[in-house]
Structures are given as C-alpha cells and as structure tokens.
Amino acid sequence: MKNLFKWKTIRDTLIIGLITYALIELVCFIFIEIKYVPAEKPSFTYIFYGKNWKPIFADINPIWGAWHEPGNIVSTKDCFNVSYRINSYGARDKERIKENGANRVIVLGDSFMEGYGVEENERVSNLLEKELKVEFLNFATTSMGPTQEYLLYKDLAKNFSHDKVLIGILPFNDFQDDDRDFSLKIDPKLYKPFWVGSYPDYKLTYSPLKLEDSESLDYKIKLATSFRGNLTEFLKSYTYWFNIYFYLKHVKPIVYLAKSNLPYSGYYDYTLKEFNKMKFSIENIKREAQGKEIYIFTIPVQSDLSRYAIENKVSKLGNELGAFCKNSGIHYLDLLPETYNDYGKDASKLYLSCDGHWNATGNKYTEKLLVKFLKK
C-alpha cells in the first residue's frame, strides 16, 4: 500500500506538471499569435549544429569587431535557407580587386545591407550593380553600427578605388549599437568600439573584453555546437514559451527605449547624445572619403511605419538628419515617407515572414528608390 501511494503521488505530480506546462505553452501560443508579444514563432524544424557549423559573423577584427570569416556559410531560419559567399577580405561579396577604375561604389551598413535572409543576387547592392552597370562593393555586416562602419571604411574599404560611398542607416538599432552601456548590458561578451565623451570631443574606446575573450569565431562555434547551444536551438524550434523568454531577454530591451506608450521607433525615440555620435561617425567617413560623394539613406522597419502614421506623417529623424546632410554636402534619402505611401497597409510584403529584415521584394523595392536617388 505504501508503494502504491508513492506511485500515485508521483503520477499525480507528473500529471499536474504536464497540465501546467501545457497551459503555459497555450498562453504563450496565444500571446504570439495575437501579437501581444511580438516574439518569433517556433519553426518546428530543428537544425543540429555539428562540428562543421560556422556563424555568419563573429568578433574577428581587432579594429571594428564584427566581421565574416572567408569561405562559404549557410544561414537558415524558418522562412529562408541562403548561402553566404565571403570573399578573401571578409566581405559578403564576390572577389574584388583594389584598383579597377574610379567609377565604383562602396556600400556600408548592417544586416539589411548585408542581405540577411536573401540570396546574394536578390540583395539591394547586387540589384543596383546590375541596373546601373557600376560595381557596388558591399562591406556591410550584421551587428554593425555607424562607429564600426567608419572604422571599417578607414581601415579597409577606402583602399578599394571608388568615387561614391552608399551608407544604409537602420534607426531601429543603429543608435543602440553606438551606446556602450546599453550594448554591454544586453551582451557583455561583445568586442566593439564606442565613442565616449561629448560632441565633438569624443575618444574612441573599446569594450572591456579582449578580442580573444569576446564572441569570437571559436567561442560562437563552441557555444553553438555544445549541448547548451543545441538545447537552445531545440527549444526555439519547438516551444512558444522559450521564444517569448528569448524575446524578453534580447529584443524587448530596445522596445523599452520608447519615450512613451507608442510603438518604439528609432526615427523618434533617439536622444541628442545618440544623434551626435551618429553625426560624428558620418563626419569622419566624409573626411576619410576625401571629396568622394556620400549617399546616406535611412531604412524603416514595420514599427517605424506604424509610428509614422501616429506622428502625423512627420519623420523626426528624416528632418534632422536631412538638415545635417544638406549642411555637410551629403546626399540623403529617407525611405520612410515613400515606403509608407506605397506599402503602409501592406508593409509585411516587404519583410521576411519569420524575421524583420527585407525579403526579396523589399530589396527590389528599395533598389528602385535608390536608383532614382543615385541618378540625381
């Protein structure tokens, strides 16, 4: 009788535990489906990270941090499976020679400009190269901010012959990418440069970790291929609760930066301190470019389009950055107004269904706008 009672207790505990887990998972399912929490849905496809797995980027470069390891890499998510061709300089691009005439364009930016989630031939810079019959050398990288873009241009990209520089700015996270305290709070293992001080008297500093102790290539491979890494991938692939946990830990902190109860938007919720750091990096790129034409455009995400409608269709960043660029002799295009006019109610058509980056349609649409911009 004693053993029977013990077994019933274990059984009842297991049943209660399973019911509790099922209810938690159901609530998380509802929260994600109704977009109460904008976390990713589980893909229900598990990717095992074996010993041959490589990340698309890591803290590799001692000057600007995040960069690619040369070779071929596969990037996979629920709605895409794409190949990355990384050239010998570490750029996601075909091989380029340093001297090939002046009529070439250097491309700087983060994951949007890198072409995250789309094949190389679907990426905006490749489409521009095909349309304009001019080489577009793409040096964009996931996790890049304006400070890193300046350092990359100064140390590497400017050594390739060109007469124009095209910079894609993502307001959603480019301000936070240059915020030392915020960045290191979210990810203490980052190796990254930051401007510290007051405009225009900044000093370039780096995160406390040495490059070899940060999110280096070896660290990312070791973590992803470990039991913990594969368990994390499994839980992201098959559970709703873990995706909400992941969102709250890694994405929600940016949303908290909103200055009101309105949807967070980097077009509106930046500070003067953050704007001055961005401005300073742009000024440094212009100085290094030595008279070459600079073209800058700002990239909206879906929350920016929602906020634009609430803000009476006035782009705060577009106006302020536009005025700065005009005074500095820099060409500027704000994609927010035209994107809203063309896709305000159907913005999801421009972005990956499992991710916030442009899909092939978004890249193609942006290419058409940039062709007009670059031809002016």
Side-chain angles (χ1 to χ4, degrees), residues 106-114 124 138-141 143-150 165-178 195 264-268 270 274-286 294-302 304 315-326 328 330-337 339 351 356-358 366 370 373:
I106 295 294
V107 178
L108 303 174
D110 65 1
S111 50
F112 270 75
M113 296 305 292
E114 178 190 63
V124 63
N138 196 318
F139 289 88
T141 311
S143 192
M144 277 259 173
T147 303
Q148 293 167 289
E149 289 157 15
Y150 153 62
V165 181
L166 177 66
I167 307 171
I169 290 177
L170 183 69
F172 178 76
N173 60 20
D174 271 0
F175 290 114
Q176 285 73 60
D177 282 335
D178 276 346
W195 295 122
Y264 170 75
S265 171
Y267 272 86
Y268 301 94
Y270 60 91
E274 291 168 337
F275 182 74
N276 281 340
K277 287 183 179 180
M278 178 179 287
K279 189 167 70 170
F280 189 68
S281 293
I282 293 170
E283 288 170 340
N284 276 277
I285 292 174
K286 179 175 171 60
I294 309 293
Y295 292 78
I296 292 176
F297 67 99
T298 39
I299 302 167
V301 297
Q302 293 189 66
D304 297 322
S315 173
K316 178 189 172 186
L317 178 62
N319 291 338
E320 292 190 5
L321 188 56
F324 160 72
C325 287
K326 184 177 181 180
S328 303
I330 295 171
H331 307 278
Y332 173 67
L333 174 66
D334 183 4
L335 296 183
L336 178 58
T339 304
Y351 302 92
H357 291 83
W358 286 324
T366 303
L370 292 181
F373 177 47

Side-chain angles (χ1 to χ4, degrees), residues 229-253:
N230 278 289
L231 177 61
T232 298
E233 184 61 31
F234 179 84
L235 292 173
K236 284 181 69 178
S237 298
Y238 290 103
T239 67
Y240 284 86
W241 72 265
F242 189 83
N243 281 287
I244 288 182
Y245 160 77
F246 193 85
Y247 167 81
L248 294 175
K249 183 177 180 181
H250 296 282
V251 182
K252 185 67 172 176

